[in-house]
């Protein structure tokens, strides 16, 4: 079975059972307490807790998706047969409430209401044994065995799942394994959210599917409370499943990776297989992260991307690969995956970002090597300094300073280095949290914040100015320019966008003049609600970071019928009604923020 058939069969199966197919969300999550999207349920967190209504947004309490995921936790394992940083996850989801049909949680109910354990298990088993035609002899499962002590927050044995597997699905007792908290309790992502006991499905001992029963909500203080509506969140690793179905024991031998691995091998004939796999994983991951708008930097998600790219470049040095792996990799990913992930069509920009990082890296190596010469011996602290300051990856430090590295063969060095790295990550995560804090705001849409009415009016003028600025930048610099971030207060706007070099003084002036011209034309600013696909069809710009429901608001500047429509953007508002309300627009500064990202600070007078 090809991986494309697996995608299709999964969607078909659950769509037929009342699930709405929802596109993967971005790898940049909505939730500020997590750096990257790690699970399919993340984009649905608000539906589980009832803050958003799934029936309203999706026409069903059931959704199905194939989600792009990235997990740093496995980065050190990459290079073996099963671990990846970037992977896709097939998942079906249900957000209560469960409307009991004639006999309760009923797998024959192909409607649109919430469902729970019995239905989730029935369907998973049916999909695996009947659609994927995996012989039931090969299947074992695990369930939550219950906390051993009755302590605060303890969760009992999941007897219901046990009975469903044993009595209803007919699995023998010895094929049902009881797991502990570490193994059979999932979530939440971030510091609070839905979570609960799980049941996992294994084929030939390989875990392929994790079914989470979101019966609980974990609060920030660690307390577990019963969720108002129990939900279902399942996740099946696409690459691992494909390996099982294609009869290979290495995800890099599936049709998802095979051709790409072959291509990389051409650059390193006879190269160590483990390194080829690391390169395949990291190249794919970097390209997907970049496609979602992440740019290499020294903090948060940008730091992770930089680390991946620098590992690729370091291995290129180590393995003496003279060719540039980036252009062909970007082309390959676009050709193979852009049908599912259209953001990969942005190949030119993606490649430019990767290439800029390569130049930076080459410069850093030069400087790092010079610095390295000063030391007689390199310990964990020195290695970390070289790593952090010059961006030299550990593999490369080890390679370039072989005789200088202390305890090289003891493994201790690597462990301590990893510890040092984790500490650093904590700091950068804490930074991310602080940035998003804030109290007592009258307006807080995430992008816009104001403490009183007066500030709010100003902020809203700035908001419209931001749309105008984005339009104007794209007019002057080209359509590759895209918003990557924005921060507005009552004093100024700050607008980050993708662009690869410093703007000239003329360009800045042109952008400013163009914006003022449109302000003076008194263009109307208004919104229309439309389906997401219609909005995409008319070319409305979407901010990378956001996820959008099926019906979206699109803000327009100018009117089509008058021939002066200039801007259409996915946006929740608020905005002023006419560009003339903005006032005079003035750019104060244009500067670099990260590789491939520029920032403009502007005021209105
Ligand atoms: N959230 C669970 C996981 O990531 C199931 O989707 O494994």
């Amino acid at each position: 079975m090809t991986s494309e058939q697996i995608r299709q069969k999964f969607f078909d199966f659950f769509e037929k059972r009342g699930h709405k197919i929802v596109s993967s969300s971005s790898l940049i999550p909505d939730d500020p307490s997590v750096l990257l999207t790690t699970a399919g349920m993340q984009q649905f967190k608000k539906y589980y807790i009832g803050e958003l209504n799934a029936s309203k947004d999706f026409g069903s309490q059931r959704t199905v998706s194939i989600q792009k995921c990235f997990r740093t936790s496995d980065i050190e394992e990459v290079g073996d047969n099963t671990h990846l940083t970037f992977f896709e996850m097939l998942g079906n989801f249900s957000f209560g409430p469960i409307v009991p049909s004639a006999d309760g949680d009923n797998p024959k109910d192909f409607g649109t209401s919430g469902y729970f354990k019995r239905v989730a298990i029935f369907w998973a088993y049916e999909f695996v044994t009947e659609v994927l035609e995996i012989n039931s002899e090969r299947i074992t499962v695990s369930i939550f065995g219950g906390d051993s002590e009755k302590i605060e927050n303890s969760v009992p044995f999941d007897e219901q799942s046990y009975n469903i597997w044993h009595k209803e699905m007919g699995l023998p007792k010895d094929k049902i394994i009881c797991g502990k908290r570490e193994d059979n309790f999932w979530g939440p992502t971030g510091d609070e959210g839905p979570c609960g006991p799980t049941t996992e499905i294994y084929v030939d001992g390989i875990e392929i599917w994790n079914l989470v029963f979101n019966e609980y909500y974990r609060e920030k203080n660690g307390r577990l409370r019963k969720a108002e509506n129990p939900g279902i969140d399942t996740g099946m690793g696409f690459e691992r499943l494909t390996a099982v179905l294609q009869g290979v024991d290495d995800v890099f031998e599936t049709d998802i990776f095979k051709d790409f691995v072959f291509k990389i091998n051409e650059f390193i004939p006879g190269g160590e297989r483990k390194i080829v796999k690391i390169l395949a994983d990291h190249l794919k991951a970097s390209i997907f992260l970049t496609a979602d708008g992440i740019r290499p930097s020294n903090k948060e998600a940008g730091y992770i991307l930089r680390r991946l790219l620098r590992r690729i470049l370091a291995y290129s040095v180590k393995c003496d690969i003279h060719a540039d792996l980036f252009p062909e990799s970007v082309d390959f990913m676009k050709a193979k995956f852009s049908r599912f992930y259209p953001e990969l069509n942005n190949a030119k920009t993606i490649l430019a970002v990767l290439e800029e990082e390569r130049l930076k890296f080459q410069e850093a190596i030069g400087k790092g090597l010079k610095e390295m010469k000063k030391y007689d011996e390199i310990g964990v602290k020195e290695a970390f300094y070289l790593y952090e300051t010059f961006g030299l990856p550990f593999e490369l430090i080890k390679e370039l300073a072989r005789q200088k590295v202390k305890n090289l063969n003891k493994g201790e060095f690597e462990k301590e280095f990893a510890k040092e790295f984790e500490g650093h990550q904590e700091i950068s995560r804490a930074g991310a949290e602080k940035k998003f804090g804030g109290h007592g705001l009258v307006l807080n849409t995430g992008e816009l914040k104001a403490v009183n009415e007066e500030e709010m009016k100003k902020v809203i003028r700035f908001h419209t100015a931001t749309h105008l600025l984005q339009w104007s930048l794209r007019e002057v610099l080209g359509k590759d320019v895209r918003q990557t971030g924005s921060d507005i207060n009552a004093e100024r706007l700050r607008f980050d966008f993708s662009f690869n070099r410093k703007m000239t003084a003329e360009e800045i002036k042109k952008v400013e003049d163009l914006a003022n011209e449109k302000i003076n034309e008194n263009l109307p600013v208004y919104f229309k609600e439309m389906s997401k696909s219609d909005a995409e069809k008319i070319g409305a710009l979407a901010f990378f970071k956001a996820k959008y429901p099926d019906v979206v608001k699109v803000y327009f500047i100018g009117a089509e019928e008058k021939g002066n429509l200039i801007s259409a953007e996915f946006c929740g508002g608020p905005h002023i009604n006419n560009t003339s309300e903005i006032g005079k627009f003035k750019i104060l500064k244009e500067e670099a923020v990260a590789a491939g990202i520029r920032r403009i600070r502007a005021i209105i007078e």
Side-chain angles (χ1 to χ4, degrees):
M1 198 180 295
T2 67
S3 58
E4 301 204 353
Q5 285 166 334
I6 300 170
R7 288 181 198 272
Q8 199 52 47
K9 282 176 195 270
F10 188 73
F11 278 147
D12 289 348
F13 182 86
F14 284 102
E15 191 177 34
K16 195 171 157 205
R17 285 160 181 74
H19 295 67
K20 169 81 189 180
I21 299 176
V22 177
S23 324
S24 169
S25 63
S26 160
L27 284 163
I28 310 176
D30 244 349
D31 180 350
S33 64
V34 265
L35 286 183
L36 290 164
T37 299
T38 56
M41 62 79 71
Q42 250 162 295
Q43 71 163 320
F44 300 121
K45 254 173 130 169
K46 290 192 173 129
Y47 295 99
Y48 285 106
I49 55 177
E51 213 172 283
L52 290 175
N53 182 335
S55 294
K56 194 164 153 254
D57 290 346
F58 305 120
S60 175
Q61 296 288 351
R62 308 172 178 185
T63 60
V64 56
S65 72
I66 302 182
Q67 174 68 46
K68 295 180 283 188
C69 297
F70 186 96
R71 291 187 184 171
T72 42
S73 52
D74 291 336
I75 198 165
E76 297 306 328
E77 257 79 48
V78 174
D80 68 5
N81 283 354
T82 52
H83 288 92
L84 296 165
T85 55
F86 171 85
F87 62 99
E88 291 172 79
M89 196 147 71
L90 315 174
N92 57 294
F93 309 90
S94 161
F95 322 104
I98 301 161
V99 180
S101 33
D103 57 351
D105 197 18
N106 177 6
K108 294 215 171 63
D109 170 10
F110 284 14
T112 55
S113 58
Y115 57 86
F116 203 45
K117 289 185 190 177
R118 184 161 177 263
V119 169
I121 293 177
F122 259 80
W123 285 346
Y125 194 66
E126 185 184 347
F127 185 73
V128 170
T129 55
E130 288 174 30
V131 179
L132 303 179
E133 296 178 357
I134 293 173
N135 190 320
S136 58
E137 292 289 305
R138 296 169 68 189
I139 295 174
T140 48
V141 301
S142 66
I143 57 160
F144 184 58
D147 288 322
S148 46
E149 289 169 69
K150 269 225 145 315
I151 42 167
E152 200 192 347
N153 289 330
S154 72
V155 176
F157 167 50
D158 185 3
E159 195 176 350
Q160 194 189 349
S161 293
Y162 181 85
N163 286 335
I164 296 169
W165 281 121
H166 182 50
K167 296 188 183 148
E168 298 200 63
M169 318 308 294
L171 240 68
K173 283 184 182 167
D174 64 352
K175 293 207 163 180
I176 306 171
I177 294 143
C178 287
K180 292 199 171 74
R181 271 280 182 127
E182 315 77 276
D183 306 309
N184 284 89
F185 193 93
W186 199 88
T189 57
D191 37 12
E192 62 179 322
C195 54
T198 71
T199 180
E200 298 164 320
I201 300 178
Y202 291 74
V203 177
D204 305 333
I206 298 165
E207 183 202 328
I208 58 156
W209 207 340
N210 186 19
L211 279 55
V212 184
F213 307 125
N214 281 327
E215 295 174 70
Y216 295 94
Y217 188 93
R218 200 182 85 169
E219 291 166 359
K220 260 204 178 115
N221 61 15
R223 202 175 79 89
L224 278 186
R225 63 171 157 79
K226 270 277 183 198
E228 270 138 55
N229 286 317
I232 291 293
D233 152 28
T234 88
M236 179 150 59
F238 181 49
E239 293 78 359
R240 278 192 203 178
L241 174 69
T242 306
V244 167
L245 292 172
Q246 296 182 349
V248 292
D249 62 4
D250 181 350
V251 291
F252 293 96
E253 280 172 23
T254 62
D255 69 1
I256 303 170
F257 267 110
K258 212 168 40 194
D259 296 345
F260 190 48
V261 167
F262 183 81
K263 187 162 269 311
I264 296 172
N265 247 321
E266 286 179 340
F267 288 101
I268 335 173
E272 198 186 316
R273 177 131 176 105
K274 184 175 170 201
I275 294 180
V276 173
K277 291 195 217 175
I278 293 175
L279 288 172
D281 170 84
H282 286 14
L283 282 161
K284 184 176 181 187
S286 307
I287 291 167
F288 272 88
L289 289 170
T290 308
D292 269 346
I294 296 166
R295 296 293 177 262
S297 77
N298 285 333
K299 58 181 205 287
E300 298 160 20
Y303 184 62
I304 293 168
L305 174 58
R306 170 159 285 167
R307 183 162 181 233
L308 291 174
L309 289 172
R310 296 206 162 183
R311 272 187 109 193
I312 296 168
L313 294 164
Y315 275 118
S316 304
V317 174
K318 183 169 140 78
C319 306
D320 206 19
I321 306 172
H322 290 286
D324 182 351
L325 295 171
F326 293 148
E328 290 207 36
S329 301
V330 171
D331 284 348
F332 183 94
M333 290 302 152
K334 178 178 160 183
K336 188 155 176 78
F337 296 106
S338 62
R339 237 171 326 140
F340 313 112
Y341 301 106
E343 57 277 20
L344 294 169
N345 285 322
N346 224 350
K348 229 172 88 191
T349 307
I350 298 171
L351 183 60
V353 171
L354 305 189
E355 290 303 339
E356 182 163 345
E357 190 63 13
R358 162 197 303 290
L359 292 181
K360 286 216 170 122
F361 180 75
Q362 278 162 356
E363 215 174 279
I365 288 190
K367 283 191 197 147
L369 283 178
K370 233 183 189 169
E371 179 75 18
M372 208 185 275
K373 285 205 182 106
K374 294 186 196 155
Y375 306 131
D376 296 326
E377 240 184 11
I378 295 179
V380 172
K381 286 265 176 290
E382 291 79 14
F384 194 77
Y385 173 75
L386 289 167
Y387 165 82
E388 202 188 23
T389 312
F390 302 100
L392 295 190
F394 178 54
E395 289 80 2
L396 193 64
I397 296 168
K398 221 166 63 171
E399 205 53 39
L400 297 176
R402 203 163 259 287
Q403 62 290 42
K404 289 186 183 176
V405 174
K406 282 195 284 192
N407 304 327
L408 183 66
N409 298 319
K410 287 188 187 154
E412 278 304 301
F413 190 91
E414 291 190 34
K415 240 194 255 152
E416 277 180 45
F417 187 84
K419 235 195 268 156
E420 193 88 16
F421 178 75
E422 270 165 29
H424 187 89
Q425 258 193 333
E426 289 304 314
I427 295 167
S428 119
R429 200 179 295 263
E433 268 157 30
K434 224 190 278 153
K435 198 170 79 195
F436 292 96
H439 296 283
L441 301 171
V442 292
L443 175 77
N444 185 2
T445 66
E447 206 185 348
L448 311 177
K449 295 182 184 68
V451 293
N452 57 36
E453 291 293 311
E454 199 189 312
E455 270 200 0
M456 189 159 86
K457 278 189 201 132
K458 198 124 190 240
V459 158
I460 295 172
R461 285 163 60 206
F462 270 121
H463 189 202
T464 308
T466 301
H467 284 218
L468 198 53
L469 173 60
Q470 168 150 250
W471 167 78
S472 186
L473 283 166
R474 284 163 61 90
E475 283 296 300
V476 175
L477 304 177
K479 298 290 185 257
D480 273 348
V481 166
R482 281 275 175 153
Q483 172 172 359
T484 59
S486 156
D487 183 85
I488 293 172
N489 63 32
E491 265 77 54
R492 53 108 186 101
L493 71 81
R494 216 177 65 191
F495 183 78
D496 293 352
F497 60 97
S498 50
F499 190 57
N500 265 317
R501 61 168 170 81
K502 194 169 171 49
M503 287 172 71
T504 64
E506 277 116 0
E507 285 167 339
I508 295 174
K509 173 109 190 355
K510 234 176 171 174
V511 168
E512 195 179 274
D513 287 347
L514 210 49
N516 281 315
E517 203 181 283
K518 294 298 161 190
I519 289 171
N520 294 333
E521 278 177 32
N522 302 339
L523 299 177
V525 183
Y526 55 96
F527 72 87
K528 285 185 195 156
E529 280 191 325
M530 52 176 81
S531 74
K532 188 166 120 190
S533 57
D534 281 349
E536 278 161 359
K537 255 182 240 144
I538 62 162
L541 293 179
F543 180 36
F544 273 126
K545 233 177 168 160
K547 296 159 207 45
Y548 298 95
D550 273 358
V551 176
V552 294
K553 256 178 155 180
V554 174
Y555 264 92
F556 295 86
I557 303 181
E560 179 112 67
E561 59 280 11
K562 294 207 174 127
N564 59 12
L565 174 66
I566 54 170
S567 156
E569 277 193 52
F570 283 63
C571 180
H575 283 277
I576 49 178
N577 297 320
N578 192 291
T579 53
S580 61
E581 292 169 45
I582 294 177
K584 194 169 171 358
F585 178 73
K586 199 168 161 30
I587 294 178
L588 293 185
K589 202 169 175 190
E590 189 270 348
E591 63 192 319
V593 210
I597 302 201
R598 311 291 305 178
R599 171 171 292 172
I600 278 183
R601 289 171 199 274
I603 52 166
I604 46 187
E605 290 168 353

